[in-house]
Amino acid sequence: MRADRVYAYGAAAGLIGDRILGDPRRGHPVAAFGRTAAAVERALWRDDRARGAVHTLVCAGGAALVGALGARVVRSRPAAARIALTAAATWAVVGGTSLGREARAIGGALAAGDAEVARERLPHLCGRDPQALDEQQMARAVVESVAENTSDAVVGALVWGALAGVPGLLAFRAVNTLDAMVGHKSPRYLRYGWASARLDDLAGWPGARLTALAAVLAGPDRRGAVRAWRADAARHPSPNAGPVEASFAGALGVRLGGTLAYGGRVEHRAVLNGEAGRPVEVADIERAVRLSRQVTWLALGTCVALRCAVSRRTGKGRA
């Protein structure tokens, strides 16, 4: 069977598996990778960029190597084995169902007027300080997290799966996880996490643009999404979150960005879609989750087309 068909069937099966099963409560492969990365950090950590670069190379390279070995094992097997490996890898690295589930749980608590429950659950979704947020700010944080994580937890992985198969799927998830662990600008990780943060910016670039484009096509306000993307994306401090959050803001007709609080540190970010948008409401959480799902399936179709193009261009039509 052609390699592009293996990817198409496997990635679709993996997304369906995520839709049905979600993430396991115990034994998730990403959690296992996180424990391994933490052990590597304990062995390597110094307040030094070179040590951090080695950490990134060992962990991300190791994930890619595991994927490459798995692909090699099934290369001469029947197509069903290759599809199953791609499906398992896709299910392991995407997190769209858990993202929507957490967002809806917080939205449900806010709709019921139980702000304390919403504050308890918010750290499951993002790194904001929930005690510093009122109900409207929590709703905005959820919508922003749904937008950004649609790219980070779903679309980016699909793109790299299309480009590099199972090794690409695992390596992207490893890079994204490393950025979450050591890529932030705390005193401990400002230098040590520099390589992970920069690599995550590079790896996330194509997935973020595809996510933004899919939000334009799938969203209820296409013109608004394009306008916000063009006007405001570059004003966001993240080169990848900017296009994604701006396009979601325009598509949904809301304002995102503004003042944020992370672990006692306050950031004053630009407002996205500020002129045309309205403040986020609790009901917009459900709208964001639906848009995220539409973006996911649109991105899958695009990635399958990309994989077909790669196979034709390289002459490697068979897996």
Side-chain angles (χ1 to χ4, degrees):
M1 180 181 289
R2 292 174 57 93
D4 46 12
R5 294 181 181 178
V6 169
Y7 170 77
Y9 296 150
L15 285 180
I16 292 170
D18 176 66
R19 182 74 179 86
I20 295 172
L21 303 173
D23 292 335
R25 295 184 181 275
R26 297 180 181 179
H28 196 290
V30 175
F33 171 82
R35 290 191 294 271
T36 302
V40 173
E41 179 190 341
R42 288 193 294 271
L44 287 177
W45 189 89
R46 296 289 187 278
D47 190 15
D48 179 73
R49 281 188 177 184
R51 287 291 190 111
V54 172
H55 180 205
T56 303
L57 179 62
V58 168
C59 295
L65 180 60
V66 169
L69 291 174
R72 184 171 182 176
V73 167
V74 301
R75 183 177 300 168
S76 58
R77 303 286 179 87
R82 288 174 276 147
I83 292 171
L85 178 64
T86 302
T90 302
W91 168 82
V93 303
V94 302
T97 294
S98 293
L99 173 64
R101 184 181 298 152
E102 289 296 336
R104 282 174 165 155
I106 297 169
L110 290 173
D114 199 336
E116 289 308 310
V117 170
R119 288 192 178 94
E120 289 176 4
R121 297 197 70 98
L122 189 63
H124 298 172
L125 193 64
C126 65
R128 310 278 175 88
D129 179 2
Q131 301 306 318
L133 304 178
D134 60 23
E135 286 84 350
Q136 191 278 327
Q137 290 169 327
M138 282 191 281
R140 191 193 80 199
V142 172
V143 172
E144 290 170 352
S145 296
V146 168
E148 184 174 1
N149 284 297
T150 300
S151 176
D152 288 346
V154 183
V155 178
L158 294 176
V159 168
W160 283 101
L163 292 173
V166 172
L169 286 165
L170 299 190
F172 175 81
R173 192 35 144 184
V175 169
N176 190 249
T177 302
L178 288 173
D179 179 63
M181 294 177 67
V182 304
H184 40 87
K185 295 181 179 179
S186 66
R188 177 178 175 86
Y189 296 124
L190 187 61
R191 281 181 284 271
Y192 187 83
W194 179 87
S196 291
R198 297 292 76 76
L199 184 58
D200 183 67
D201 286 343
L202 290 172
W205 195 96
R209 274 72 194 168
L210 177 56
T211 303
L213 177 60
V216 169
L217 297 175
D221 186 350
R222 293 183 178 181
R223 290 184 179 180
V226 172
R227 182 179 60 247
W229 182 1
R230 293 179 62 182
D232 298 331
R235 302 169 66 200
H236 196 288
S238 167
N240 295 329
V244 173
E245 291 187 22
S247 63
F248 263 69
L252 298 172
V254 300
R255 294 196 298 267
L256 300 178
T259 301
L260 312 175
Y262 287 95
R265 186 181 78 255
V266 176
E267 294 185 15
H268 299 284
R269 295 182 179 177
V271 176
L272 308 178
N273 199 37
E275 294 184 4
R278 56 170 173 77
V280 175
E281 300 172 355
V282 173
D284 292 317
I285 293 175
E286 178 62 31
R287 296 176 66 223
V289 171
R290 289 201 302 268
L291 179 57
S292 173
R293 287 186 175 172
Q294 292 166 343
V295 164
T296 294
W297 292 107
L298 188 56
L300 174 64
T302 304
C303 289
V304 168
L306 173 64
R307 186 71 183 98
C308 292
V310 169
S311 294
R312 287 195 298 268
R313 189 172 184 83
T314 60
K316 296 179 179 179
R318 301 196 64 82

